[in-house]
């Protein structure tokens, strides 16, 4: 949902949006479970990051690897859902510390289950890649990872015989001359761990001839991956020149994250073309930025090379930026570009993590002669004004939804303090910067009692203190308990534990007031069924007789269920 990041991530009100349902037969991970749902009129659509406090474009080269991004992504994607990773063009740079593939680092963080596909036109690189992965510690720890290698060149059409090209030159260099040049230089080239070790031992060396079948990525996606959703696509070739070969998979929105590199061989127009095309299909592009001046430099553990050159990392928007304002001649190449699926807002939490790790939220100290800065500091040191238009926008028997707007004058609040009586509820609510149209704030209180008059107060909090409070009173609705005949039919099994956990619960998980999936004290089938009917995500529920009720957004796998006295497992009939 919108509202997680501290910088200006923008949403817009939708009036009609209909997405086609995915035909993907791969397990649907929770981060994209509702990605293709129709957004109700008046709902919010994530538009991306409006701006960054760290500027508009990077002032130094990209990180040596994607490792810090993988760390942040693992903090967001905490479940062990099977995921698919694809790396296109494995050609590593010269030197013993540059033969770390993205695959190797991905599998350090996402090795529980899933699939990896590595594609390259040079068989020697594929062999080195496969041999290197066999030395990884995760290999002996799991049998649920499938790693495949494909000998192929990417193109815009299928069928032509392709030659290997150099990643370093963005696909323009003569492959044989470039590979030979790199093989003849660099330290440790005679060690078996070096990526050119196999090439230098060819019978034909130094005469080289690299040929491979040419396929579009769309063909590979359909034939080798069955059109499954890809969680991370890392493109080591010139993406701009191959874009046509990705048209079907991109238009099908088959990716969660697309990563590609821009170097001195790219033109500004090529970057504009790629970003605009990805924007068309609701992908938001950003430059990862290594924060060399952060207080957290050197505090992260890395498996791969680079150390402080890897992170901490945050992100500068490209999609919402006029690329023409970037001084292309001064751009320090290479730069990575990360494109995220806007229909998966959970992924954008990496920006919040990155900003915190890069100290971008720290207040700067004004210089003694900077009157404008000092005046701004004086303004923000005042408490925020009292919230306005505080009202109940939706009321039920056991929950109410509140709305308000920050006062247009004075400092913008950092958060709000909400109190409710009776019940002695006190909640601190972050200021939501996502609704750029109206600054509307909203909050739902669950777990209330029917037909009770509550008094609710709200204060705005900021650096300079707290505002005066605004108060309202509201009585919850009477609870009408319908007969079970009016409910959707369920398959209800007595003496059965559903075998599911927190990952399968309706969102937000947990007990009220902040959660909607767990109801302690509701220990009968009828009471749990009433709550399932009242939650549009709920398709199954579980009752521990006399104890508690759980609501689930997925059907249980009967193979994982177990017989257990005192438990009830129920599944909504189709």
């Amino acid at each position: 949902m919108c509202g997680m990041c501290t910088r200006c991530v923008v949403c817009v009100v939708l009036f009609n949006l209909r997405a086609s349902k995915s035909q993907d037969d791969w397990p649907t991970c929770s981060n994209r479970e509702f990605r293709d749902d129709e957004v109700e009129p008046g709902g919010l659509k994530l538009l991306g990051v409006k701006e960054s406090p760290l500027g508009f474009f990077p002032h130094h080269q990209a990180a040596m690897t994607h490792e810090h991004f993988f760390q942040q992504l693992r903090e967001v994607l905490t479940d062990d859902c099977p995921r698919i990773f694809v790396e296109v063009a494995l050609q590593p740079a010269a030197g013993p510390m540059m033969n770390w593939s993205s695959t190797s680092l991905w599998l350090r963080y996402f090795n529980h289950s899933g699939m990896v596909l590595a594609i390259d036109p040079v068989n020697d690189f594929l062999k080195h890649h496969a041999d290197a992965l066999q030395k990884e510690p995760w290999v002996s720890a799991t049998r649920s990872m499938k790693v495949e290698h494909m000998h192929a060149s990417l193109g815009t059409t299928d069928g032509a015989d392709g030659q290997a090209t150099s990643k370093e030159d963005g696909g323009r260099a003569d492959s044989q001359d470039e590979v030979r040049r790199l093989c003849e230089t660099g330290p440790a080239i005679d060690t078996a761990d070096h990526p050119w070790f196999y090439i230098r031992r060819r019978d034909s060396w130094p005469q080289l001839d690299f040929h491979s079948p040419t396929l579009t990525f769309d063909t590979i996606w359909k034939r080798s991956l069955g059109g499954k959703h890809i969680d991370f696509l890392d493109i080591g070739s010139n993406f701009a020149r191959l874009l046509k070969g990705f048209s079907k998979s991109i238009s099908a929105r088959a990716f969660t994250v697309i990563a590609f590199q821009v170097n001195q061989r790219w033109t500004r127009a090529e970057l504009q073309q790629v970003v605009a095309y990805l924007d068309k299909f609701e992908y938001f592009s950003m430059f990862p930025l290594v924060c060399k001046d952060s207080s957290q430099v050197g505090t992260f553990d890395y498996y791969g090379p680079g150390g402080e050159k890897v992170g901490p990392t945050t992100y500068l928007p490209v999609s919402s930026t006029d690329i023409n304002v970037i001084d292309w001649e001064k751009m320090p190449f290479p730069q990575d570009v990360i494109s995220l699926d806007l229909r998966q807002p959970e992924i954008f939490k990496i920006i919040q993590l990155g900003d915190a790790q890069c100290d971008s939220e720290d207040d700067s100290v004004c210089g003694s002669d900077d009157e404008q800065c000092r005046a701004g500091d004086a303004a923000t040191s005042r408490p925020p004004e009292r919230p306005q238009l505080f009202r109940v926008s939706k009321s039920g028997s056991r929950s109410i939804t509140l709305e308000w707007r920050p006062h247009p004058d004075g400092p913008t609040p950092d958060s709000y303090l909400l109190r409710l009586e009776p019940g002695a509820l006190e909640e601190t609510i972050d200021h939501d910067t996502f609704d750029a149209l109206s600054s509307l704030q909203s909050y739902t209180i669950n777990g209330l009692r029917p037909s009770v008059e509550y008094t609710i107060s709200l204060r705005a909090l900021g650096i300079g203190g707290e505002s005066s409070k605004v108060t309202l009173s509201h009585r919850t609705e009477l609870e009408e308990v319908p007969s079970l005949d009016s409910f959707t039919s369920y398959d209800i099994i007595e003496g059965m534990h559903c075998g599911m956990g927190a990952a399968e619960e309706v969102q937000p998980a947990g007990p009220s007031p902040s959660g909607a999936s767990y109801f302690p004290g509701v220990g009968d089938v009828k009471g749990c069924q009433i709550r399932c009917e009242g939650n549009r995500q709920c398709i199954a529920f579980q009752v521990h007789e006399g104890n508690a009720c759980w609501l689930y957004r997925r059907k249980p796998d009967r193979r994982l269920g177990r017989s257990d006295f005192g438990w009830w497992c129920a599944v909504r009939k189709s």
Side-chain angles (χ1 to χ4, degrees), residues 287-515:
F287 288 125
L289 173 70
V290 179
C291 304
K292 295 185 176 181
D293 297 326
S294 167
S295 64
Q296 298 189 44
V297 169
T299 63
F300 300 93
D301 293 327
Y302 297 109
Y303 295 106
E308 71 279 359
K309 297 180 182 179
V310 174
T313 305
T314 194
Y315 305 90
L316 308 183
V318 180
S319 288
S320 59
T321 301
D322 181 1
I323 296 176
N324 289 313
V325 305
I326 298 176
D327 190 338
W328 200 254
E329 300 301 319
K330 294 183 179 179
M331 175 74 85
F333 293 111
Q335 291 297 333
D336 290 325
V337 178
I338 299 286
S339 299
L340 307 182
D341 181 3
L342 282 165
R343 291 287 198 90
Q344 301 182 52
E346 288 291 299
I347 304 299
F348 282 76
K349 291 180 181 178
I350 63 164
I351 302 170
Q352 187 179 26
L353 290 172
D355 281 356
Q357 293 163 354
C358 285
D359 304 331
S360 66
E361 299 170 2
D362 286 357
D363 296 322
S364 58
V365 178
C366 297
S368 57
D369 57 348
D370 193 339
E371 295 182 3
Q372 184 176 1
C373 175
R374 293 166 69 85
D377 269 4
T380 57
S381 64
R382 304 198 322 263
E385 300 293 330
R386 188 173 70 170
Q388 294 186 325
L389 304 176
F390 186 40
R391 71 185 186 95
V392 175
S393 62
K394 184 178 180 181
S395 177
S397 60
R398 295 182 178 273
S399 68
I400 57 174
T401 298
L402 304 168
E403 285 186 356
W404 68 92
R405 287 174 172 80
H407 199 287
D409 299 328
T412 300
D414 294 324
S415 58
Y416 301 90
L417 180 64
L418 183 144
R419 290 192 174 98
L420 177 139
E421 293 288 350
L425 172 70
E426 182 171 299
E427 291 282 345
T428 301
I429 306 162
D430 289 339
H431 175 71
D432 186 350
T433 61
F434 285 71
D435 189 342
L437 299 178
S438 63
S439 297
L440 180 68
Q441 311 291 305
S442 67
Y443 186 75
T444 298
I445 306 175
N446 296 304
L448 303 180
R449 289 178 292 164
S451 192
V452 172
E453 183 161 329
Y454 289 94
T455 299
I456 306 141
S457 66
L458 184 74
R459 299 177 186 268
L461 308 179
I463 297 174
E466 62 182 39
S467 73
S468 59
K469 68 181 179 181
V470 57
T471 303
L472 63 80
S473 295
H474 180 82
R475 181 176 293 275
T476 52
E477 308 299 318
L478 285 170
E479 185 168 59
E480 296 183 6
V481 181
S483 67
L484 289 180
D485 293 338
S486 66
F487 286 134
T488 305
S489 296
Y490 290 78
D491 288 323
I492 302 175
I493 304 175
E494 183 179 1
M496 174 64 69
H497 189 290
C498 291
M500 294 195 288
E504 289 84 21
E505 293 177 15
V506 301
Q507 298 298 305
S512 63
S514 57

Side-chain angles (χ1 to χ4, degrees), residues 535-549:
N535 189 308
R536 70 180 185 88
Q537 299 178 46
C538 183
I539 61 174
F541 65 84
Q542 176 174 271
V543 179
H544 189 196
E545 191 170 2
N547 185 11
C549 159

Side-chain angles (χ1 to χ4, degrees), residues 39 48 96-97 120 133 164 171 202 274 285 304 320 342 390 404 490 506 542 571:
V39 177
M97 293 303 290
D120 200 271
L133 289 182
R202 280 173 167 258
V274 172
S285 302
S320 59
L342 282 165
F390 186 40
W404 68 92
Y490 290 78
V506 301
Q542 176 174 271
V571 180

Side-chain angles (χ1 to χ4, degrees), residues 123-143:
N123 267 321
D124 295 290
F125 289 149
L126 291 170
K127 177 173 172 52
H128 173 268
H129 185 267
D131 290 348
L133 289 182
Q134 289 302 312
K135 301 175 183 178
E136 296 289 338
W138 59 266
V139 171
S140 59
T142 178
R143 298 180 180 178

Side-chain angles (χ1 to χ4, degrees), residues 505-565:
E505 293 177 15
V506 301
Q507 298 298 305
S512 63
S514 57
S517 68
Y518 175 55
F519 297 91
V522 180
D524 62 283
V525 172
K526 181 178 178 179
C528 198
Q529 189 170 345
I530 290 172
R531 283 155 180 79
C532 187
E533 285 289 323
N535 189 308
R536 70 180 185 88
Q537 299 178 46
C538 183
I539 61 174
F541 65 84
Q542 176 174 271
V543 179
H544 189 196
E545 191 170 2
N547 185 11
C549 159
W550 291 261
L551 306 186
Y552 298 107
R553 54 189 170 142
R554 297 177 184 167
K555 291 185 177 181
D557 186 335
R558 294 295 175 88
R559 296 171 299 178
L560 300 178
R562 67 177 189 270
S563 298
D564 204 336
F565 179 77

